[in-house]
Amino acid sequence: MKPRSLLMILVFIYPSVALGQVSYPAFHEQNNFLLASPGALKFGLYGFDNPALPSLLREPDVSFLWSDQTGVWSDFNRWGLFAAAPHIGFGILHQKAGLRHVTDYRISLATGNRTIGYGIGYGWSGGYIQTFGRSKLVMLGALVRPNAFLSFGLVGTMSTQIRGTNEGVVDVAARPFGDEALTLFGDFALQSKQSLTDGRWSAGAAIEPLPGVRVTGRYFDTKGFTVGVQFSLGRVGVTTQAHYDQDGRYSHNTYGLRIGAFDRTPLKARRSSYVSINMLGPVKYQRYQLMDKANTLNDLIAGIEAAKQDPRVAGIAINASGLAAEGEILWEVREKLKDFKSAGKRVVTFIDLAGMNQYHFASIADKIVMDTQGRLQIGGYAAGRTFLKGTLEKVGIGYDEWRFFKYKSAYENLSRDTMSNADREQRQKLVDDSYRLAKTDICESRHFTPEQFDNMVNNEAMYMAQDALEKGLVDTLGRWETVKDVITNLEGAEKRYVSAQSLEAFVAPTDNRWSEPPKIAVVYALGACAMDEGITARKLVNDVQAVVNDPSVKAIVLRVDSPGGDAMASDYIAEALKKAKGKKPVIVSQGAVAASGGYWLSMYGDTIVAAPNTITGSIGVIGGWIYNKGIKETLGMSTDHVKAGDHADLGFGFTLPFIGLGLPDRNLTDTERARVEYLIKTMYREFTENVAIGRNKSAEHIESIAQGRVWSGYDGSQNGLVDLLGGLETAITIAKEKAGIRKDREVNIVELPKKGLIDFSQFIPRLVGVEVKERDPLVEYLKFLLQHNGQPMPVLPIEDIDFTRIY
């Protein structure tokens, strides 16, 4: 907590203890339902005692407490109802003595996190107020937990009607072991015009020998004491507390019932639930904050992990109808499901129209249900290109390819009409590796022999639902509703569906560990490497620099899904990450594509993690020149110019209709082309040297695997471009380890850059009343070529850049 913040709180609280008399009950009298000091145990009285406490809640919760001061447990002469939801609390305290009674009300609003929270409360009273002398009041509170061992609470209460009637309270708690097993606490309350020696205090301890079973003891300055027990049943809990007077004689009991928020419990949960996951549509990296229900990779992984750890979960039911995620992300989710099954839990998946990637994903399931009208196509993998050389010649556009490295084939579709031998070689290796991965996984999961699998792919390939059932590719035919029956038969009992958000990991109380968990930043570099598009390097570098310099961020994970592009954009991010060396770990997680400029982004990582089917490498540089070769004249257009400088007209030309970009009038001269060759080879040399430094390899080794050659993640792990096979979760686990954070320790994942509040483009068709067509990839392709015309670039074949992909 900053000194200024603490000072401001004390400025409010100190006047409370410097003036007049209190016109409302003192802290210890008003809050004798508490088992411990407000900040020591759970969430106190939900803001009635300290208005900062509701900032800690994850779910709504309600407690009803009462005293048996007449000796009868059903005596309701003194009772309290306390309720709270995240950031807001409300409490009622009713007291009756003979014919007199009063009811105190308090509402509180809080903000903050597990390290520091602030709150403000307002209170008023009803009943025979004049008899009891009540006044309206305002409360200011703070709760500071700088680490897992210490908690400090501050509360100032001020009357709004009688000037100078105030009270200040400080409570302190300590956890010697850094967890809920043992908590020591104490509090001190000082009213207006009291000296320090007249202040009231209490001290005690709380232990939690079993999850949700809490025993407390509290001693007061009056020499009285209390002994309490709290028992949690999950979403319901009970409390009892015995009160003893200054002579050690039993006085009375208080009782409590709680319902609402999930709490730890010693009861062994029954595996009664299946987590239902709808995989409709793409799997994105980030979603907009509002009105965006898309699945994200990190949320799916976290949800499956939560299901694995939750004792109430027996399995996962996946609806893969309409699944449109690409293969690498599906592999990551599949691997996590495989890990989930290692806990003895099951997966049931529903498919309808599935291709090779979708079936590879679904094959991990214990049972696959296929729609009765579904179709399955497992014909293998293919990779091809559309060659535009003849098209350009027909329309009168010239193209000069500047290719000086064997495998750097990015632009050969503009200069050739078939694949070069080098490009055919590297592409064949990629599809072979993808086929091998799917074949190995599917055979293992579905118990096919390699020969059976090859036969199904090569001799049949396409299956209707009944055919797939007979071949053993699926287990049951039916619609999504059939999955419930399959689960019942599989488990021997009916299981209810629950959402991942309802699992214990996402709703469990945060009081098990004080203070915010350490942070790991996940920075996404997605799309083409460009300064103001794609990865938006001009903005992204600010996020990278911020997490490098932020002491609360213990490690950085860079998720790369980029085919490259502008070397300067790649270098902006790479150099910013390089500055983290020695400060904190930088782990690179490579997605579907992290090649060429995408590998440039990766090269300084302490550890590079890639999936087996990631496209990586392509360490090389290429360029090209697109120019007028008759299209201008065919269109009836002409140009003219003057110049100062021999090469000033290089790039001068006319504007292409509908594209809006200029097409140069001429090709390069021999002198100009020689200069370009020098620039490309110089950039290539710098690229390979930097990779050698980043990977701690010899320049000769990097050269042997460079020349623009693309590699699968599997091959990259063999030749040194990649350190480990895995996905985003693997990278985060390594980041935790290298940052000295225990594997089982909770961390906060900070995702950057921040996604926008809402995707306004979804409303455009409704607002303007017309259908908005998606961007034409061919038009985007031509724009990209012209925007980067003549630039040496570390980039993959341009058609590998999906201009319409949603990240």
Side-chain angles (χ1 to χ4, degrees):
M1 184 178 184
K2 294 181 179 180
R4 176 179 291 183
S5 301
L6 181 61
L7 179 61
M8 289 181 66
I9 293 171
L10 292 175
V11 165
F12 277 110
I13 293 177
Y14 183 74
S16 346
V17 297
L19 304 168
Q21 288 191 339
V22 176
S23 60
Y24 43 81
F27 170 79
H28 289 95
E29 297 172 10
Q30 189 86 334
N31 295 296
N32 65 351
F33 285 131
L34 284 169
L35 296 177
S37 300
L41 186 68
K42 294 289 288 175
F43 313 112
L45 296 180
Y46 307 124
F48 197 90
D49 43 357
N50 183 340
L53 287 169
S55 65
L56 300 174
L57 270 80
R58 281 180 157 182
E59 295 184 294
D61 207 19
V62 179
S63 288
F64 179 75
L65 301 105
W66 72 97
S67 298
D68 66 352
Q69 291 181 321
T70 62
V72 180
W73 76 270
S74 57
D75 170 17
F76 291 103
N77 284 320
R78 179 178 172 83
W79 57 265
L81 179 67
F82 308 97
H87 307 292
I88 185 169
F90 178 72
I92 303 173
L93 181 61
H94 177 81
Q95 301 175 76
K96 182 179 179 181
L99 296 177
R100 298 178 302 169
H101 64 87
V102 65
T103 304
D104 296 312
Y105 304 89
R106 290 184 190 176
I107 187 169
S108 56
L109 297 173
T111 186
N113 54 37
R114 291 157 68 175
T115 297
I116 182 168
Y118 302 97
I120 184 170
Y122 178 73
W124 70 99
S125 301
Y128 288 118
I129 303 173
Q130 292 81 7
T131 304
F132 282 81
R134 294 288 202 261
S135 72
K136 296 177 182 178
L137 56 89
V138 172
M139 300 174 67
L140 297 174
L143 187 68
V144 183
R145 291 171 170 173
N147 51 49
F149 303 96
L150 292 173
S151 174
F152 302 95
L154 299 168
V155 182
T157 305
M158 293 145 279
S159 169
T160 63
Q161 296 173 303
I162 306 174
R163 185 177 180 184
T165 55
N166 309 287
E167 184 179 42
V169 180
V170 176
D171 72 83
V172 180
R175 287 180 168 176
F177 308 114
D179 59 26
E180 71 276 16
L182 173 63
T183 305
L184 307 176
F185 60 84
D187 52 67
F188 181 78
L190 193 64
Q191 298 177 0
S192 301
K193 289 192 175 179
Q194 281 187 327
S195 65
L196 289 175
T197 56
D198 293 329
R200 298 283 308 279
W201 59 268
S202 75
I207 61 172
E208 190 169 338
L210 295 172
V213 178
R214 305 172 182 99
V215 180
T216 64
R218 190 180 185 190
Y219 182 81
F220 296 86
D221 63 307
T222 59
K223 298 184 179 179
F225 64 93
T226 61
V227 177
V229 177
Q230 191 175 82
F231 188 87
S232 169
L233 302 172
R235 293 193 176 275
V236 176
V238 294
T239 299
T240 182
Q241 182 175 208
H243 297 252
Y244 297 85
D245 63 21
Q246 65 269 23
D247 298 319
R249 292 176 300 190
Y250 171 77
S251 171
H252 63 280
N253 250 55
T254 54
Y255 308 91
L257 298 173
R258 182 195 63 81
I259 186 169
F262 182 81
D263 190 10
R264 297 181 294 276
T265 177
L267 302 181
K268 187 174 181 180
R270 190 168 53 90
R271 289 188 174 182
S272 59
S273 305
Y274 261 59
V275 176
S276 176
I277 300 177
N278 187 348
M279 296 284 287
L280 176 66
V283 175
K284 302 196 296 187
Y285 284 115
Q286 294 174 283
R287 68 168 67 90
Y288 289 93
Q289 298 175 42
L290 298 175
M291 302 181 71
D292 188 352
K293 296 182 179 179
N295 288 309
T296 67
L297 175 60
N298 195 44
D299 282 354
L300 283 172
I301 298 299
I304 296 169
E305 176 64 22
K308 176 186 174 184
Q309 301 298 334
D310 198 313
R312 301 166 299 170
V313 172
I316 292 176
I318 298 174
N319 187 346
S321 176
L323 174 62
E326 55 85 32
E328 189 280 332
I329 282 182
L330 289 179
W331 179 84
E332 289 194 47
V333 180
R334 189 187 192 278
E335 286 294 294
K336 190 59 192 175
L337 289 169
K338 185 177 181 180
D339 175 63
F340 171 81
K341 289 176 62 177
S342 70
K345 302 185 179 187
R346 295 187 171 102
V347 177
V348 179
T349 298
F350 171 77
I351 61 174
D352 46 22
L353 305 175
M356 199 74 176
N357 284 338
Q358 290 85 353
Y359 185 73
H360 179 201
F361 167 75
S363 66
I364 192 62
D366 295 277
K367 297 292 180 182
I368 300 176
V369 179
M370 187 173 187
D371 192 282
T372 53
Q373 297 302 312
R375 294 187 301 279
L376 180 61
Q377 184 167 340
I378 50 171
Y381 293 93
R385 307 185 72 174
T386 298
F387 293 86
L388 302 177
K389 177 184 177 182
T391 304
L392 296 180
E393 289 174 350
K394 284 182 180 293
V395 299
I397 295 177
Y399 186 76
D400 184 16
E401 181 188 27
W402 304 335
R403 179 175 178 176
F404 307 106
F405 308 105
K406 180 178 180 181
Y407 295 98
K408 199 65 180 174
S409 61
Y411 296 151
E412 72 173 33
N413 65 324
L414 302 175
S415 61
R416 299 175 57 92
D417 50 23
T418 60
M419 287 184 192
S420 64
N421 291 335
D423 195 36
R424 186 178 300 278
E425 175 190 349
Q426 62 184 350
R427 285 174 179 267
Q428 186 63 56
K429 187 63 170 66
L430 289 177
V431 296
D432 287 345
D433 286 351
S434 293
Y435 185 85
R436 179 181 62 175
L437 176 64
K439 177 179 176 178
T440 301
D441 287 345
I442 292 171
C443 287
E444 178 184 346
S445 298
R446 300 298 298 176
H447 309 296
F448 297 132
T449 65
E451 294 75 21
Q452 285 175 315
F453 181 81
D454 287 338
N455 180 63
M456 287 187 290
V457 170
N458 296 324
N459 296 328
E460 295 170 332
M462 293 174 285
Y463 297 87
M464 296 300 290
Q466 187 61 41
D467 299 328
L469 179 64
E470 292 172 358
K471 284 289 184 180
L473 290 162
V474 301
D475 302 289
T476 305
L477 302 184
R479 296 274 152 87
W480 167 245
E481 295 76 16
T482 309
V483 171
K484 270 215 166 185
D485 298 329
V486 172
I487 291 172
T488 300
N489 293 332
L490 188 63
E491 299 287 350
E494 187 175 344
K495 304 295 180 182
R496 65 189 180 95
Y497 285 160
V498 298
S499 68
Q501 291 73 29
S502 67
L503 298 178
E504 185 175 322
F506 304 120
V507 299
T510 57
D511 68 309
N512 62 318
R513 189 188 184 282
W514 291 342
S515 188
E516 284 290 295
K519 295 177 184 176
I520 290 181
V522 175
V523 180
Y524 295 105
L526 311 175
C529 292
M531 294 301 292
D532 301 301
E533 296 176 312
I535 69 170
T536 59
R538 202 183 309 276
K539 294 179 181 178
L540 187 63
V541 70
N542 295 324
D543 290 324
V544 173
Q545 290 169 346
V547 296
V548 168
N549 297 320
D550 186 346
S552 69
V553 174
K554 305 305 179 184
I556 301 168
V557 173
L558 179 71
R559 175 69 176 202
V560 179
D561 208 329
S562 171
D566 183 356
M568 182 171 67
S570 298
D571 201 57
Y572 258 53
I573 307 306
E575 285 297 317
L577 288 169
K578 189 177 181 182
K579 293 176 182 176
K581 291 280 188 180
K583 293 183 179 180
K584 58 191 66 176
V586 176
I587 313 301
V588 174
S589 169
Q590 296 187 333
V593 181
S596 202
Y599 195 84
W600 194 313
L601 291 168
S602 310
M603 62 188 179
Y604 293 131
D606 298 312
T607 303
I608 298 178
V609 180
N613 51 348
T614 293
I615 298 175
T616 189
S618 191
I619 301 168
V621 183
I622 196 168
W625 187 252
I626 188 169
Y627 61 96
N628 172 52
K629 202 174 181 181
I631 187 174
K632 180 179 69 173
E633 292 74 16
T634 300
L635 294 174
M637 303 174 71
S638 62
T639 58
D640 200 358
H641 67 273
V642 296
K643 67 177 183 178
D646 292 344
H647 309 287
D649 62 330
L650 183 61
F652 174 80
F654 73 106
T655 300
L656 273 173
F658 309 112
I659 302 298
L661 294 172
L663 187 67
D665 275 345
R666 68 174 179 86
N667 197 0
L668 276 67
T669 64
D670 291 342
T671 300
E672 290 166 338
R673 201 176 191 282
R675 185 61 182 170
V676 165
E677 181 177 350
Y678 167 77
L679 295 176
I680 289 176
K681 290 182 176 179
T682 299
M683 183 180 289
Y684 174 77
R685 185 180 69 253
E686 292 175 354
F687 193 179
T688 55
E689 288 175 352
N690 288 336
V691 172
I693 294 170
R695 302 302 297 147
N696 195 26
K697 304 285 185 183
S698 68
E700 292 75 20
H701 175 73
I702 298 302
E703 178 62 31
S704 71
I705 56 176
Q707 288 287 316
R709 173 77 186 255
V710 292
W711 304 91
S712 68
Y714 174 80
D715 283 341
S717 68
Q718 303 297 306
N719 63 29
L721 291 177
V722 171
D723 296 298
L724 194 67
L725 293 179
L728 180 60
E729 184 187 36
T730 307
I732 292 172
T733 300
I734 295 171
K736 288 174 65 175
E737 179 184 345
K738 287 185 174 290
I741 303 170
R742 293 196 320 266
K743 186 177 181 180
D744 60 347
R745 174 81 181 277
E746 179 188 4
V747 294
N748 275 348
I749 302 298
V750 180
E751 295 183 295
L752 296 169
K754 292 294 184 183
K755 199 69 172 175
L757 182 67
I758 193 169
D759 179 11
F760 289 101
S761 66
Q762 64 183 308
F763 302 115
I764 292 176
R766 303 178 200 172
L767 293 175
V768 300
V770 297
E771 181 181 355
V772 178
K773 294 183 178 180
E774 294 183 355
R775 292 179 295 172
D776 186 333
L778 181 58
V779 173
E780 297 298 325
Y781 179 19
L782 292 173
K783 285 183 178 179
F784 186 91
L785 287 174
L786 292 169
Q787 285 171 346
H788 300 89
N789 202 17
Q791 296 180 17
M793 298 183 73
V795 66
L796 280 184
I798 202 68
E799 68 270 22
D800 289 338
I801 301 177
D802 187 347
F803 293 103
T804 61
R805 181 176 173 189
I806 300 172
Y807 291 99

